[in-house]
Amino acid sequence: MSKLLVIVGSTRPGRAADSVVPWVVARAAAHGAFDVEVADLRDWPLPIFAEHFGTIGDINDPTYSDPLVRAWNAKVKSADAFVVITPEYNHSVPGVLKNAIDTVWLSFGFRNKPIASVGYSGGISGAIRAIEHLAHIAVEAEAVPLRNTVVLPFVGQTFDEKGEPVNPFTDASLQILLDDVAWWSSALEKARAGGELAPGVFRAQAAAAAATETAEAG
């Protein structure tokens, strides 16, 4: 089974995420392909990203500037796949979510793993612009953002008194997302087990060093 980390991207008091998370987690647990864990950013009060090469210690086993930063990097690194639950603030993801992704630094915890999005809003957008921006951020984190998403507009009307979706298509969209995550997670786990290229930034540094050495030798 793939280890699925469900990241709750809002820490706002009164957040609508509290009606979305139980549904997502229940469906993911019932899917059968996942060992599900929730990473609620309320429980991870990460400092604003300020890491640099002077704070990480041993690059092969970074200590970082704060034990919580190290623990967060280890938590993300231990997962095989991600579902991010996010609202939309100013056409993008909440700052706390961006900061949490930025903080996964030099551990490459998201690298070569699938990431899918569940967006919600009180209005008509369903956080679709935040989802689109999150895909861009995920690419830079070297994750694999998935096309199929869950969009929940007017989230206050999405669930009945038992926490079940009112519209059957809402459940169908989450099932499609989870099926995609399961397929990609399995495929990428096999690929990672077969060997990974070093991160591009390291290969670029090596190429530059080799070019410099050649020029100096010539």
Side-chain angles (χ1 to χ4, degrees):
M1 293 174 65
S2 297
K3 184 172 181 180
L4 177 65
L5 192 65
V6 177
I7 300 175
V8 185
S10 171
T11 59
R12 191 178 185 182
R15 63 185 183 182
D18 291 328
S19 65
V20 179
V21 173
W23 167 66
V24 171
V25 171
R27 296 301 191 270
H31 187 279
F34 307 112
D35 175 14
V36 183
E37 183 176 0
V38 176
D40 189 336
L41 294 184
R42 280 184 174 174
D43 301 327
W44 292 89
L46 295 162
I48 296 298
F49 178 72
E51 301 300 322
H52 54 85
F53 286 104
T55 65
I56 64 168
D58 181 357
I59 194 170
N60 296 309
D61 185 21
T63 54
Y64 300 100
S65 61
D66 189 299
L68 189 63
V69 172
R70 184 178 188 182
W72 175 244
N73 275 266
K75 176 64 64 180
V76 173
K77 184 79 170 178
S78 71
D80 298 309
F82 309 93
V83 170
V84 177
I85 300 173
T86 184
E88 181 176 309
Y89 298 166
N90 294 323
H91 285 213
S92 188
V93 298
V96 68
L97 175 56
K98 180 61 164 59
N99 184 63
I101 297 171
D102 291 344
T103 300
V104 181
W105 188 60
L106 288 182
S107 66
F108 297 98
F110 289 108
R111 190 168 188 258
N112 296 334
K113 299 172 184 178
I115 184 168
S117 303
V118 176
Y120 65 87
S121 72
I124 198 169
S125 78
I128 191 64
R129 293 163 297 203
I131 289 172
E132 290 178 349
H133 193 190
L134 183 59
H136 295 172
I137 297 166
V139 167
E140 188 61 23
E142 297 195 64
V144 180
L146 302 189
R147 183 267 180 195
N148 289 312
T149 61
V150 175
V151 178
L152 304 174
F154 304 108
V155 67
Q157 303 170 29
T158 297
F159 302 99
D160 64 19
E161 64 279 358
K162 296 181 180 179
E164 295 295 317
V166 174
N167 186 337
F169 182 74
T170 303
D171 254 337
S173 65
L174 181 57
Q175 183 65 41
I176 290 167
L177 178 149
L178 293 171
D179 288 345
D180 283 1
V181 173
W183 190 93
W184 277 100
S185 187
S186 177
L188 290 170
E189 285 169 50
K190 292 174 184 175
R192 294 197 305 274
E196 297 180 87
L197 291 169
V201 62
F202 293 157
R203 283 180 280 148
Q205 290 172 353
T212 300
E213 183 177 341
T214 299
E216 291 175 349

